[in-house]
Amino acid sequence: MRLKYALMSDTSWQQMAEWQTPDTPFMSFDFWQALADTGAIGEQAGWLPIYVLIHQVDEGTTPPNAADIKNSKAHSDGDNKALAAGDKVSVTHPIAVLPVFIKGHHRGEFVFDHAWAEAYARYGVDYYPRLVSSVPYTPITGQRFWLADGERLRADIIKTALVGVDDIAQQVGASSWHGLFVTPELADIVAAAMPTDSDVRRALAAQKQGGAAAAIDIPILERQGCQFLWQNKELLKNAQPFADFEAFLATLRAKKRKTIRAERRKVGEQGIRCQRKCGDTICEEDWHAFYHCYVMTYAVRGQQPYLTLDFFMALAASMPEHLMLAQARDAHGDIIASSLFLYDKPDSKGATLYGRYWGALADYDSLHFELCYYQGIEFAIEQGLSYFDPGTQGEHKLVRGFIPTTTHSLHRVYDGRFVPAIADFCRRDKEHMAEYRRRAFDALPFNADNMPAAAASR
């Protein structure tokens, strides 16, 4: 058995195999089709996709029965000559796909390498284009491969995919490849199977000791970050899911409970009423009101939104079972704020609620906390979801019971002149983020009986 790769610019590979259900809704074919159909990815958007398709090649011989030869799906590595019994043949079937985007900017990524681009510019070297594997505009940890049914992520699949990535880089003159928000599993496999920043440091140390110059292979460099993840379990009571929002509050220190209750009370005192809608109960009027709010989030910063109303309408048509919309209405019944969530099927392992898109028509005291966090926590408890990922950034999540968790990204830099400095940057960045997560963990608001033993991890 051996593996080979092919580079494809379209999604016809989706019809070549039965594919596993992805680990998040953001890797579903419906989500990616909505991105493509509404122009969120493609050349005009600066997210030009190339798909690295991994085939497994099984070597064998043709069956001895002539009828079997005629009906066999095996094909010869040579020309189209007729097969005879005992001829060597190879059978190929797709087992994995890695999406790669050719990019000339950093927008919509959330793991920033602007300093690297500036370093290249100082030396008169082009940093663009660069290659990125991620879910566009979505800082969600998850698998970056689509896997065929019955397959699992393995080192040989990853190595073959990276050969394909290197091929793309050579063809387009890319400076680097960036795999963003990858799973800990993928990061661990890469660390065990590929040259890393540790190998770079050993090679440099050997050079400094005056020995023969050690070759520095193109490494995979890892960066780590921090996001905040809510867990649906009562640590004091044998890690059982919370019965309701008050059961969650009971795990917090008294001062924090009082603060959260006060914030929720302030929303009601402004004459604001919140409600949640799921799937097909979200009507077209709701979507227009949501998008009006969503656009305002960008307008206040003088920016245009990444995604269009048509994109969200496409999600509503193709994957409504993964959508929850939280709305805030004023005393007149008008929608003044909206927050859109996606979520896994509740019966799936590690089922998670994802807080993604928010907007309000004006500033209202504590409404962001209510619509983006507390409504999400209540929904996760009601649905029996294990986790709630509210999105990137913000210590304001930490003090509301969201636990610091490690994120991983992988980076491959092709110009060897820059590798040592960037490897050192990644090492120092990981140390800084580890200290940040430690301090964030110490600041968690749980009472002594409910402090997690270690940072959340899936």
Side-chain angles (χ1 to χ4, degrees):
M1 181 193 77
R2 59 187 173 88
L3 302 182
K4 66 178 184 178
Y5 72 89
L7 305 180
M8 303 185 67
S9 59
D10 60 35
T11 57
S12 58
W13 53 268
Q14 293 179 5
Q15 310 305 317
M16 298 179 182
E18 294 294 328
W19 302 95
Q20 297 176 23
T21 300
D23 61 340
T24 74
F26 304 96
M27 285 293 284
S28 71
F29 293 159
D30 288 333
F31 189 89
W32 283 61
Q33 192 64 51
L35 290 171
D37 289 346
T38 60
I41 60 175
E43 188 169 8
Q44 293 301 314
W47 288 81
L48 183 62
I50 301 292
Y51 301 97
V52 182
L53 175 63
I54 311 301
H55 284 92
Q56 180 172 300
V57 183
D58 297 322
E59 307 291 349
T61 59
T62 56
N65 183 282
D68 292 337
I69 296 172
K70 180 179 179 181
N71 295 324
S72 176
K73 294 182 180 179
H75 63 82
S76 169
D77 283 334
D79 54 27
N80 294 323
K81 66 182 180 180
L83 295 176
D87 281 352
K88 289 185 177 181
V89 295
S90 59
V91 179
T92 66
H93 53 275
I95 61 171
V97 174
L98 175 69
V100 179
F101 292 97
I102 302 171
K103 295 197 65 186
H105 57 74
H106 306 258
R107 294 189 297 275
E109 296 181 18
F110 303 94
V111 177
F112 303 111
D113 55 332
H114 300 102
W116 305 1
E118 292 168 1
Y120 272 64
R122 286 196 297 270
Y123 285 89
V125 181
D126 289 333
Y127 192 62
Y128 307 99
R130 48 198 281 283
L131 306 179
V132 175
S133 292
S134 72
V135 179
Y137 319 110
T138 309
I140 292 293
T141 291
Q143 281 193 352
R144 291 297 165 254
F145 285 82
W146 288 287
L147 296 173
D149 281 351
E151 295 295 333
R152 59 179 178 80
L153 196 60
R154 311 188 306 262
D156 57 344
I157 291 176
I158 296 170
K159 288 181 177 181
T160 304
L162 287 172
V163 174
V165 170
D166 295 347
D167 188 354
I168 299 171
Q170 185 175 27
Q171 290 186 41
V172 304
S175 67
S176 50
W177 169 78
H178 310 265
L180 308 183
F181 296 98
V182 303
T183 61
E185 175 194 16
L186 176 53
D188 288 344
I189 293 174
V190 166
M194 302 291 294
T196 64
D197 53 346
S198 298
D199 299 302
V200 173
R201 292 199 299 275
R202 282 193 291 269
L204 291 175
Q207 292 179 9
K208 290 179 180 179
Q209 291 174 0
I216 300 177
D217 294 329
I218 300 176
I220 298 290
L221 307 175
E222 182 188 359
R223 295 180 65 183
Q224 293 183 356
C226 180
Q227 289 186 340
F228 300 95
L229 188 71
W230 182 84
Q231 296 186 69
N232 183 12
K233 59 183 179 181
E234 298 183 11
L235 302 181
L236 186 62
K237 299 179 180 178
N238 301 317
Q240 295 300 308
F242 294 115
D244 52 30
F245 192 86
E246 282 298 315
F248 158 64
L249 287 184
T251 66
L252 307 181
R253 294 194 295 271
K255 183 177 180 180
K256 298 302 180 182
R257 292 198 300 270
K258 183 178 179 179
T259 298
I260 291 174
R261 288 184 178 126
E263 288 173 344
R264 304 201 78 180
R265 190 165 55 248
K266 288 175 184 177
V267 173
E269 290 170 348
Q270 296 169 86
I272 298 172
R273 176 176 58 87
C274 296
Q275 65 181 21
R276 297 188 293 270
K277 292 186 175 183
C278 294
D280 293 332
T281 67
I282 307 171
C283 66
E284 185 171 350
E285 180 182 354
D286 294 325
W287 285 114
H288 282 272
F290 157 76
Y291 195 72
H292 187 195
C293 297
Y294 168 73
V295 168
M296 288 297 295
T297 302
Y298 292 87
V300 296
R301 301 195 298 266
Q303 299 175 357
Q304 292 293 320
Y306 291 130
L307 303 169
T308 66
L309 176 60
D310 286 343
F311 168 78
F312 294 107
M313 297 295 286
L315 296 188
S318 62
M319 47 190 298
E321 70 277 11
H322 293 289
L323 304 179
M324 187 273 279
L325 181 65
Q327 298 173 317
R329 295 179 180 268
D330 64 15
H332 302 289
D334 296 326
I335 295 174
I336 57 173
S338 296
S339 186
L340 180 63
F341 302 75
L342 279 75
Y343 61 99
D344 298 324
K345 292 182 178 180
D347 58 352
S348 60
K349 182 180 178 181
T352 301
L353 175 70
Y354 307 92
R356 296 306 320 130
Y357 315 100
W358 138 270
L361 304 185
D363 288 330
Y364 298 90
D365 192 352
S366 301
L367 183 57
H368 177 263
F369 303 139
E370 175 65 33
L371 216 58
C372 293
Y373 306 140
Y374 305 145
Q375 289 291 319
I377 290 173
E378 284 190 341
F379 182 79
I381 292 172
E382 290 174 2
Q383 298 295 317
L385 303 175
S386 300
Y387 300 98
F388 173 21
D389 180 344
T392 192
Q393 301 176 346
E395 285 83 358
H396 55 279
K397 301 181 179 74
L398 172 72
V399 297
R400 289 167 175 84
F402 292 83
I403 300 173
T405 185
T406 305
T407 62
H408 305 264
S409 61
L410 304 174
H411 307 268
R412 190 165 174 84
V413 177
Y414 293 106
D415 191 328
R417 296 173 297 176
F418 294 92
V419 168
I422 291 178
D424 185 60
F425 173 93
C426 291
R427 177 185 58 80
R428 289 184 286 107
D429 189 46
K430 285 172 65 176
E431 293 173 352
H432 167 75
M433 291 309 303
E435 174 62 18
Y436 174 82
R437 290 192 301 272
R438 186 195 64 76
R439 288 186 283 108
F441 192 80
D442 290 343
L444 282 170
F446 298 101
N447 57 46
D449 292 327
N450 287 282
M451 276 293 290
S457 177
R458 286 180 290 177

